[in-house]
Amino acid sequence: MRKLLDALRSAPKPGRTLGRLLGLGALGAVLAGVALYAVAYYPLMEATNTTEFCISCHTMHDNVYQEYKKSAHYTNASGVRAGCPDCHVPQQFGRKLFAKVRAAKDVWHEMLGTIDTPEKFEARRWQMASAVWGMMERTDSSTCRSCHAFDSMALDLQDRIARRKHQSAVEDGKTCIECHKGLVHKYPEAPTPAAAGLRGSDPPAVVSGGVPG
């Protein structure tokens, strides 16, 4: 960086004006990017990455939040609490940004009145939950793995069923959400093929977007 600044301060040599302009442009772009991250992106990301923000709309507070408070992720013997972003927002930069963009759909549907009553919410719960499950499967349950890891489990301290299930999951290469759907939020009732507009025994499609279900 120091060499770059010294070169920019020195008198231009014939034929190097374009190079200097490009250097100034690159430096300006870097500084602008750092400033944008520090002033806008990071504060906005952190402000929207809390449980309090997630439940600031009544749909979340009155539905899934009440279910979450009854789960072991909210209250447990060890006193460790996993909040909404711990489970629903990946830590990796790209995945986190994508999750935030997708979450904007929740706000939009709240404004449209698509999910603003318990009845409407329940009617769309399967679709919303399926979207979240699909995202977690595609990311290999990365948010789960930020706290839980197979190689950290003391299988001998688990009960017989849990030990057998986890050993099988490791051997079969399964991801957490394949077995742990409905762990924190109520497991939604799957629509019948006729109700979902599907043919035969085709499974319901995973829709894009959707609030945690």
Side-chain angles (χ1 to χ4, degrees), residues 71-88:
S71 74
H73 281 70
Y74 185 83
T75 304
N76 51 71
S78 62
V80 177
R81 177 172 295 171
C84 301
D86 295 318
C87 295
H88 291 283

Side-chain angles (χ1 to χ4, degrees), residues 155 158-169 171:
L155 297 180
Q158 298 179 356
D159 63 52
R160 180 175 57 84
I161 296 178
R163 181 167 59 251
R164 177 169 56 82
K165 290 288 187 179
H166 285 137
Q167 288 175 331
S168 176
E171 294 169 359

Side-chain angles (χ1 to χ4, degrees), residues 51-78:
T51 296
E52 290 71 25
F53 177 84
C54 294
I55 63 172
S56 59
C57 69
H58 73 88
T59 298
M60 289 295 141
H61 182 275
D62 296 345
N63 292 285
V64 292
Y65 180 62
Q66 302 308 317
E67 299 164 2
Y68 157 67
K69 289 200 299 182
K70 299 176 183 178
S71 74
H73 281 70
Y74 185 83
T75 304
N76 51 71
S78 62

Side-chain angles (χ1 to χ4, degrees), residues 67 71 73 87-88 125-138 140-141 143-144 165-166 174-191 203-206 212-213:
E67 299 164 2
S71 74
H73 281 70
C87 295
H88 291 283
R125 186 186 280 263
W126 175 263
Q127 290 179 310
M128 295 186 291
S130 295
V132 174
W133 296 338
M135 181 274 292
M136 296 183 80
E137 288 185 1
R138 289 190 296 274
D140 194 23
S141 302
T143 53
C144 302
K165 290 288 187 179
H166 285 137
K174 289 186 176 181
T175 191
C176 309
I177 196 61
E178 290 184 70
C179 298
H180 291 288
K181 295 181 178 74
L183 183 67
V184 174
H185 302 298
K186 183 177 72 174
Y187 192 93
E189 182 178 350
V206 174

